[in-house]
Amino acid sequence: MDKKHDHRAMFSSERGHDGLVERSRRIKMAAEMGLARSSRGRHWSRALHRRLLRRKGATRGGSCGCKDEALTSSKAVEELGVGENEDDAVEVEARVHALQRLVPGGEELSVERLFEETADYIEALQGQVSAMRALACLLDELERDKRVMGG
Amino acid sequence: MEKEGFWGLQWQSSGAKLPPELNSGSAASDQLPQCFLNLNWKQPMAHDADFESALSSLVSSPCSNPPASADGNGIGELIGRLGGICNSNDISPSSRYRSADASCYSTLLNSPPKLNLSVMDHRQQGRGGPPMPVNRVPGPHIGPFSAEPGFEDGAARLSCFAGRSSGSFAGQFGFLEPGNLSQASRSQSPKGGFGSCVGVGQSRSDRPAHLEMEMRSKIGGSSTPEESSLSDRMTADASTLRTITDNNSGKWKTAAKRKGREAPLSSSATNPPANMTEEENSDAKRCKPADRNGGAKNAAVKPKTEQNGDPAHREGKDNDHKPPESPKDYIHVRARRGQATDAHSLAERVRREKISKRMKFLQDLVPGCNKVTGKAVMLDEIINYVQSLQRQVEFLSMKLATLNPQMDVSMENLLPKDMYQSRGLMPQPVYPAEIGTVLSYAHQPQTVALQSIVTSSLEAQFSLNSLQSSLQQSQSMQHATTDAYTDAPSQLGGLWEDDLQSVAQTGFGQNHGKQIGTVMD
């Protein structure tokens, strides 16, 4: 897989005495990659994947192939059915925009698709957080054990 | 507050009459209402706290749910009584008697129409039309309530809430049973409605229809859990209910709008508020015509007007100016609604229902979102939650980086075959540090992913692969358990936990071995 090369290049270059920031960034990227790959078939996961690869330097284009999803946000609020007040509509639209920015690949989604993707993204994030926390606990235990044994 | 004063007045004025009514009322109805009433009347209604506590006792005491059919009359009488109590002026002694019953908000799912009728009847004076011709209950007059527009809103809201939350959508204006009430209230956000109800000002003017609702809802509002039941009691007036719904929150705005534009009967039950209101509408339609002795269901202008009021109300109690305008619009919409079978409106409705369904799903996903009402606020919560999750990921990645100083992600080739063959600890440090390859095995037996974790921990390396694999697993597990859109095996969750434990154990064992080895050396 060509991805292999990318990964290899990225990881083999830096070893050992990496700065904390650098390491954490790599970890985060790995986590995000895992996140992106774990939910294949989801618009946000594809978008996240694309974004990560782009960050890594690989030129990887390609459309996600999602049809009937792309609706501008201007229509989004209408779809929401919020229209009683101008202020309300503006408020809601602002929040929809914010949500679109948060969810990877959300800018091009209609409101209902956006909500769908948001739900899936939230679930994926929750899983990621719990997995990372579990790993952190595990490593913590290992370290403590190591210290106990070695100390 | 005005309402307290109002209540106090009523109670004081009718206080003298109450006890006898109560006593006599018990004859007509179960002891239930009587106990309620007694509880209630004992406390002075002068103060908010007292008022609310009395109401709570009133509301919360529905210990027994009188059988629907048997006590239908009783319930109606109760309702009437309540109205009568509140309205000392117009209520004849008999009606007052009955209105006392109304204070007991035991709700009967089964005989909502009758009850509604009885309530409506009493309310009738000055109103467009109680749902059905009530023979039994001459009683409770909500008429005097018309003097209290503020109550309307509250009552309307509460009743709408109750209506919404109660499961008795099924076209019955629900007299929820207390049990149902609690469930319903739990499922909904009654508190919001109640709050709005209580806080409602005199924004609404001259909505006699709502008065009754308001009164009831206010009564019931004091005990938020029961407000749904209270609202159900007020289901007599469908429009009032809708008004309440409208008043409630922006969330219902959608429903209101939907109602305004779409056919009364919602096709999908996914949107409770919309359905609720629509159900109420249909009920109201049914009730009202019945009240008018079989008028056409959609014919009455009054329901239209009331419905018109609802969207206005729904838009928020702030929009006092809206109600007068909305009737006109509503009438238009209403007329169209009868024929709302054109593809456009149908598609719109379907789309809006889908969106609201998704919002509901998001609401369940985000913790603490149940109490929030209103699209904007909920979206706010969702955004905050997503941001917090992302921040947690960052923080955890930082923590993992500190925990694992050796970030040797060896790029030796992944040996899939080995991974498949041996489930145990892989002696060689050659671990597939290849993220992509590891992940590609994500969908394969969990042993693969676990191995990655095990080996990585063995080597005291933080393997990004393992992270990703674990993420993958948790993702699958998560998807299995929570994803509503996909169906994934649910046994992954259990497997994950077992594997994690085994991983920890093996990791520990290996570390021990290593340490011992080094020590020995």
Side-chain angles (χ1 to χ4, degrees), chain A residues 1 3-4 7-8 11-12 14-16 18 20 23-24 26-31 33-35 37-40 42 78-85 88 91-92 95-96 98-99 102 111-113 115-116 118-136 138-143 145-146 149-150, chain B residues 253-254 257 315 319 322 351-352 354-355 358-359 361-362 365-366 375-376 379-380 382-383 385-387 389-390 392-394 396-398 400-411 413 434-437 439 443 457 460 462 464 466-468 470-472 474-475 478-479 482-483 485-486 500 503-504 507-508 511-512 515:
Chain A
M1 284 199 317
K3 288 195 216 124
K4 259 191 205 175
H7 294 285
R8 199 174 287 128
F11 288 104
S12 57
E14 294 159 329
R15 283 192 172 227
D18 289 329
L20 187 67
R23 251 185 293 141
S24 69
R26 280 202 276 141
I27 292 179
K28 177 156 186 267
M29 184 164 295
M33 189 61 90
L35 197 66
R37 286 167 187 261
S38 64
S39 309
R40 289 176 205 261
R42 279 287 173 178
E78 285 174 29
E79 289 181 16
L80 274 177
V82 178
E84 308 90 358
N85 285 350
D88 287 355
E91 272 185 22
V92 171
R95 286 166 172 87
V96 168
L99 191 62
L102 279 181
V111 173
E112 62 174 77
R113 281 292 286 139
F115 285 169
E116 214 179 300
T118 303
D120 199 67
Y121 186 58
I122 286 177
E123 288 177 353
L125 277 178
Q126 286 172 340
Q128 179 173 47
V129 164
S130 68
M132 288 177 82
R133 208 177 273 145
L135 271 170
L138 176 67
L139 292 172
D140 228 358
E141 293 281 343
L142 291 178
E143 288 242 352
D145 256 18
K146 212 193 307 178
M149 296 303 299
Chain B
K253 289 182 193 176
T254 323
K257 270 231 162 307
E315 293 171 11
N319 309 338
K322 284 250 180 177
R351 192 157 20 106
R352 269 195 222 95
K354 262 209 275 187
I355 287 181
R358 304 238 161 103
M359 278 209 100
F361 184 69
L362 277 173
L365 211 50
V366 175
K375 271 200 155 61
L379 281 176
D380 244 357
I382 293 171
I383 288 171
Y385 189 62
V386 171
Q387 278 174 342
L389 283 177
Q390 288 175 341
Q392 272 182 24
V393 168
E394 279 197 46
L396 281 171
S397 70
M398 186 82 71
L400 285 170
T402 63
L403 278 180
N404 239 337
Q406 322 90 320
M407 269 277 286
D408 280 1
V409 185
S410 89
M411 297 319 293
N413 288 338
E434 186 52 66
I435 297 172
T437 40
L439 285 180
H443 298 288
S457 58
F462 179 68
L464 301 174
S466 58
L467 172 62
Q468 290 175 11
S470 61
L471 286 176
Q472 179 102 42
S474 61
Q475 301 292 342
Q478 192 91 348
H479 285 298
T482 62
D483 197 342
Y485 301 107
T486 66
L500 192 53
V503 165
F508 279 30
N511 266 353
H512 279 282
Q515 293 299 330

Side-chain angles (χ1 to χ4, degrees), chain B residues 18 21-41 57-59 61-66 71 73-82 85 97-106 233:
Chain B
L18 284 177
E21 289 171 4
L22 283 175
N23 299 334
S24 52
S26 60
S29 52
D30 309 337
Q31 62 276 22
L32 182 62
Q34 190 171 21
C35 69
F36 293 151
L37 293 171
N38 291 333
L39 280 167
N40 194 16
W41 305 129
S57 61
L58 234 183
V59 178
S61 27
C63 29
S64 56
N65 305 331
D71 300 342
N73 295 337
I75 299 298
E77 290 169 354
L78 287 178
I79 300 171
R81 231 191 238 174
L82 182 61
I85 291 172
Y97 172 86
R98 276 182 259 271
S99 58
D101 295 342
S103 56
C104 157
Y105 286 103
S106 58
R233 305 265 319 184

Side-chain angles (χ1 to χ4, degrees), chain B residues 234-452:
Chain B
M234 312 233 196
T235 54
D237 195 337
S239 61
T240 319
L241 287 173
R242 255 168 294 142
T243 312
I244 296 175
T245 321
D246 295 344
N247 288 340
N248 246 342
S249 56
K251 182 161 194 187
W252 310 127
K253 289 182 193 176
T254 323
K257 270 231 162 307
R258 220 168 298 136
K259 273 183 48 124
R261 298 188 204 155
E262 297 154 359
L265 300 176
S266 163
S267 53
S268 83
T270 55
N271 191 1
N275 294 343
M276 186 62 176
T277 47
E278 286 170 6
E279 297 258 2
E280 295 167 0
N281 286 337
S282 49
D283 286 343
K285 282 189 299 190
R286 267 181 259 133
C287 290
K288 286 198 184 265
D291 195 30
R292 297 190 193 126
N293 297 327
K297 265 201 177 180
N298 307 332
V301 175
K302 192 78 195 243
K304 281 188 188 166
T305 317
E306 287 161 1
Q307 288 167 3
N308 294 341
D310 292 337
H313 283 286
R314 250 186 232 165
E315 293 171 11
K317 47 184 174 175
D318 310 334
N319 309 338
D320 299 348
H321 58 286
K322 284 250 180 177
E325 304 162 8
S326 47
K328 282 180 284 190
D329 304 336
Y330 224 114
I331 287 178
H332 288 325
V333 175
R334 185 99 172 86
R336 250 187 272 126
R337 206 199 298 187
Q339 337 139 1
T341 51
D342 54 324
H344 198 60
S345 59
L346 272 177
E348 252 185 57
R349 193 199 333 168
V350 164
R351 192 157 20 106
R352 269 195 222 95
E353 282 167 359
K354 262 209 275 187
I355 287 181
S356 56
K357 180 171 64 165
R358 304 238 161 103
M359 278 209 100
K360 276 225 96 208
F361 184 69
L362 277 173
Q363 206 180 23
D364 298 336
L365 211 50
V366 175
C369 219
N370 299 328
K371 309 176 181 100
V372 173
T373 51
K375 271 200 155 61
V377 187
M378 219 177 74
L379 281 176
D380 244 357
E381 286 292 314
I382 293 171
I383 288 171
N384 287 341
Y385 189 62
V386 171
Q387 278 174 342
S388 85
L389 283 177
Q390 288 175 341
R391 264 181 269 130
Q392 272 182 24
V393 168
E394 279 197 46
F395 169 75
L396 281 171
S397 70
M398 186 82 71
K399 180 172 178 192
L400 285 170
T402 63
L403 278 180
N404 239 337
Q406 322 90 320
M407 269 277 286
D408 280 1
V409 185
S410 89
M411 297 319 293
E412 272 86 46
N413 288 338
L414 160 68
L415 308 173
K417 286 183 205 157
D418 292 344
M419 289 170 69
Y420 268 110
Q421 289 157 8
S422 60
R423 197 226 188 272
L425 314 170
M426 305 210 26
Q428 69 276 19
V430 178
Y431 179 67
E434 186 52 66
I435 297 172
T437 40
V438 169
L439 285 180
S440 67
Y441 293 97
H443 298 288
Q444 289 154 6
Q446 297 206 337
T447 58
V448 171
L450 276 179
Q451 274 184 343
S452 67

